[in-house]
Amino acid sequence: MILVIIAVLFLPSGCGGGEKDGPERLDIWIHSAQPDERETLLAQVDRFNESQKEIEARATVIPEGSYNGQVQASAVAGDLPDLLEFDGPYMYNYAWQGMLLAIGDRLPGSVTRALLPTLIEQGTYNDTFYSVGNYDSGLGLYADRGKLEKAGVRVPEGPAGAWTIAEFNSALAALAEQDADGKVLDLKLNYGNEYFTYAYSPVLVSAGGDLIDRSDYQSADGVLNGPESVQAMKQVQGWFEKGYVDQNLDDAAFTGGRVALSWVGHWEYGRYSKALGEELVILPLPDFGNGTRTGQGSWNWGITRFAEKPENAVRFLEFILQPGEVLAMVEANGAVPGTRTAIEQSRRYKEDGPLRLFAVQLMEGYSVPRPRTPAYPIISSAFAEAFHDIRNGGDVQTVLDEAVRIIDQDIQTNNGYPPQERKKEQADHHHL
């Protein structure tokens, strides 16, 4: 099987991985990411190698677009690395397939206790802790303070002060009256499909619905297409019908001043703050009835069942979870630091930092993990297609019924995704 990769090897001077008495090799796969993030991670590999002489980490950079496909192909070929970076939602499928070792008993308690609760939640499947990240994510409404004030719109403070959905709709109407074309909201329609699940499934939860019944992950019926979810998505559809949403094909709706509000995550802060300066304000998403909610999760790490010495992978994870290394990464990618210590040391996320809202949402229980099931790729695809149809005027109940049919059919085809016993025997099942 041919594997197309971009390889980057970090070897500290004087290290000969092939020598009998040399350091033990630790193979790591990482995604290509944005340049600053990729360069930071590679620099961390280099610093890890310089920090000790027993282990030599070697990083292979794989294009993000083909990452999951290459992981799956290599798993079949028995050729996965020791340590694997992957986007959070894929973990459940990898764990179900038996690709990963449990890490709960391997990581020191001091390390796991320092993690954000959302990272523990994201990294757990079937009550077993499989993956860990050194940063997390979050959503908010970026707003132009001047436009809000001109329209007489209240500026919410903190998650508890979020606009109700009625207030949000009134705010859109008031802002539209002050806007030449009436388009005042950016929903990042220029982004890819998985983003729509990340960004808009919290709307369902805020309304009392969800993507799937999380009690057993066996069906989406009555949940994704239930009255709460239907009503929530009708609210979203109404924003399109009333002409409030900018299509944002150039990704400049907010930075160019065309809209007053942008519904997006922490990663836009740098660009937005540069464009608006002190007029930029970050608000929680609207409350659809059960409190404001935000997405969570990002790229994280798992030890594969092919690792000959998992303890070496643990050494690397301990290294990158140190506060200084966490801060180095989030300085590069703008994400929420993955530990409370790093948050309080972060200039952006500390108590009086400009991005404090994103940290508070994760620490105080306002976030929604994507469904922890191997069916997530199908769930995400079905919801993204439903979102597309709803924004284009499709009947909300009909569209969500079809999404439920697709999801439930996949679950039934896979017999409810029962544990794969043969592969489970090959994995270590330590629990957190």
Side-chain angles (χ1 to χ4, degrees):
M1 184 171 295
I2 299 174
L3 195 62
V4 180
I5 59 177
I6 303 171
V8 179
L9 303 182
F10 264 86
L11 292 82
S13 60
C15 286
E19 298 177 7
K20 182 177 180 180
D21 297 325
E24 295 175 345
R25 177 166 166 171
L26 176 67
D27 287 319
I28 303 172
W29 281 11
I30 64 176
H31 75 298
S32 53
Q34 297 300 315
D36 288 349
E37 182 176 340
R38 180 173 65 250
E39 290 166 11
T40 297
L41 183 48
L42 292 173
Q44 289 180 318
V45 172
D46 197 26
R47 287 196 293 273
F48 171 75
N49 287 336
E50 292 170 353
S51 73
Q52 47 73 52
K53 301 302 179 185
E54 297 83 15
I55 305 167
E56 178 186 359
R58 297 189 179 190
T60 299
V61 183
I62 298 178
E64 186 169 344
S66 60
Y67 198 92
N68 180 56
Q70 294 202 18
V71 169
Q72 295 288 357
S74 293
V76 171
D79 194 29
L80 283 174
D82 303 294
L83 188 61
L84 188 65
E85 188 196 25
F86 44 81
D87 200 3
Y90 285 108
M91 186 276 284
Y92 315 119
N93 201 280
Y94 294 168
W96 175 69
Q97 293 182 65
M99 290 186 195
L100 305 176
L101 299 184
I103 62 174
D105 284 350
R106 290 191 164 95
L107 285 174
S110 59
V111 173
T112 54
R113 285 192 297 270
L115 293 170
L116 290 180
T118 53
L119 290 177
I120 297 292
E121 193 170 26
Q122 175 185 245
T124 300
Y125 171 65
N126 275 354
D127 299 321
T128 302
F129 191 42
Y130 285 105
S131 69
V132 64
N134 56 358
Y135 57 90
D136 209 326
S137 66
L139 291 162
L141 279 170
Y142 289 84
D144 184 324
R145 186 188 301 274
K147 290 181 178 178
L148 294 184
E149 291 177 349
K150 183 179 178 181
V153 175
R154 176 178 73 88
V155 178
E157 292 187 10
W163 286 319
T164 65
I165 186 58
E167 283 184 292
F168 183 63
N169 288 333
S170 295
L172 292 176
L175 290 165
E177 289 180 2
Q178 304 289 330
D179 190 273
D181 65 2
K183 298 186 184 301
V184 296
L185 177 63
D186 166 32
L187 295 178
K188 289 296 179 187
L189 300 181
N190 53 306
Y191 279 10
N193 282 347
E194 208 279 324
Y195 174 76
F196 298 127
T197 309
Y198 170 80
Y200 302 108
S201 60
V203 165
L204 305 179
V205 178
S206 177
D210 208 336
L211 290 167
I212 191 170
D213 181 348
R214 299 190 190 223
S215 67
D216 57 8
Y217 294 101
Q218 293 301 296
S219 177
D221 193 28
V223 180
L224 177 53
N225 60 349
E228 296 85 359
S229 295
V230 170
Q231 183 57 36
M233 295 312 294
K234 283 183 177 179
Q235 294 281 354
V236 174
Q237 188 176 65
W239 306 337
F240 289 93
E241 291 174 344
K242 293 176 181 177
Y244 295 148
V245 181
D246 189 301
Q247 294 296 308
N248 196 29
L249 298 178
D250 58 359
D251 205 19
F254 192 71
T255 56
R258 297 201 307 265
V259 300
L261 298 169
S262 181
W263 182 307
V264 70
H266 63 270
W267 55 87
E268 282 287 26
Y269 174 73
R271 197 165 68 103
Y272 284 6
S273 61
K274 183 177 180 180
L276 274 75
E278 294 184 358
E279 290 299 290
L280 180 66
V281 60
I282 305 174
L283 314 174
L285 299 182
D287 175 1
F288 284 73
N290 287 268
T292 181
R293 292 292 183 268
T294 175
Q296 70 174 69
S298 196
W299 287 77
N300 57 162
W301 299 91
I303 303 172
T304 79
R305 64 184 175 87
F306 299 96
E308 292 186 6
K309 290 196 172 182
E311 61 270 23
N312 291 345
V314 170
R315 289 263 305 267
F316 181 79
L317 293 178
E318 289 184 74
F319 179 83
I320 63 171
L321 285 168
Q322 297 177 96
E325 295 299 332
V326 172
L327 290 171
M329 177 54 71
V330 299
E331 186 66 26
N333 65 12
V336 185
T339 68
R340 294 177 187 272
T341 300
I343 283 174
E344 297 311 323
Q345 294 177 7
S346 167
R347 62 188 177 86
R348 289 182 173 178
Y349 293 96
K350 62 183 180 179
E351 190 165 352
D352 59 348
L355 299 183
R356 181 66 176 182
L357 172 68
F358 294 115
V360 169
Q361 290 180 151
L362 296 177
M363 292 189 292
E364 296 186 3
Y366 291 96
S367 64
V368 179
R370 280 162 282 189
R372 293 183 289 178
T373 168
Y376 178 74
I378 293 297
I379 294 171
S380 180
S381 174
F383 181 77
E385 184 63 28
F387 184 89
H388 175 80
D389 291 344
I390 288 168
R391 90 187 210 204
N392 286 304
D395 178 74
V396 175
Q397 183 72 66
T398 301
V399 168
L400 293 181
D401 283 345
E402 175 60 13
V404 166
R405 185 193 66 78
I406 293 169
I407 293 166
D408 282 14
Q409 183 178 61
D410 174 76
I411 294 170
Q412 291 164 13
T413 298
N414 287 280
N415 299 315
Y417 287 100
Q420 297 192 22
E421 296 300 333
R422 182 185 65 81
K423 292 183 179 180
K424 281 179 66 180
E425 291 171 0
Q426 298 170 337
D428 186 350
H429 280 262
H430 293 283
H431 292 263
L432 180 65

